Amino acid sequence: MCKHIGERGKKIDDDIASLVKKGLDVHVQQALDVVRVIGNEAVHPGQIDLRDDRQTAMSLFGLVNLIAEKMISEPRHVAEMYAGLPKEKREAIEKRDRGGR
């Protein structure tokens, strides 16, 4: 998923750090780290034991959905709506955001 939102997709910890530097919402960062840590422990046994833990698996799916919604679906929806505004209205908004110049 990190690769889909513009990161390298090689090491998720590095991708999350890059997103944080770009201003990633702390809740999305925490969700990514929960999925990263628990998922990694499930793949490479360590201290977290996920055998038969349906609730944790369902919670992780919920977090993945939240991440996708916040990082992919919401921005795309807003961009589509913004693009649908009349051109002169978008230009006025862009002028406002440049300080009226």
Side-chain angles (χ1 to χ4, degrees):
M1 187 180 319
C2 288
K3 190 171 186 175
H4 183 75
I5 56 177
E7 296 304 321
R8 295 185 60 202
K10 301 288 184 190
K11 186 176 176 196
I12 191 169
D13 198 37
D14 292 343
D15 289 347
I16 294 169
S18 175
L19 290 166
V20 167
K21 288 177 186 171
K22 295 175 184 174
L24 181 66
D25 179 276
V26 68
H27 296 107
V28 176
Q29 173 260 309
Q30 290 173 347
L32 282 164
D33 278 320
V34 168
V35 171
R36 176 185 65 82
V37 170
I38 293 176
N40 191 52
E41 293 298 323
V43 174
H44 308 288
Q47 296 180 330
I48 300 172
D49 185 358
L50 295 181
R51 287 177 290 183
D52 300 322
D53 189 350
R54 181 178 173 84
Q55 182 57 44
T56 300
M58 296 305 291
S59 294
L60 289 174
F61 282 128
L63 287 178
V64 169
N65 286 336
L66 177 141
I67 295 162
E69 184 68 27
K70 294 290 185 187
M71 298 300 295
I72 299 168
S73 300
E74 282 183 9
R76 186 171 291 160
H77 178 70
V78 171
E80 288 171 359
M81 295 294 295
Y82 186 80
L85 292 175
K87 182 179 179 185
E88 64 275 4
K89 299 296 184 183
R90 289 192 320 267
E91 288 171 348
I93 292 167
E94 291 161 9
K95 181 178 179 184
R96 176 203 65 201
D97 292 348
R98 287 190 308 267
R101 296 171 235 185

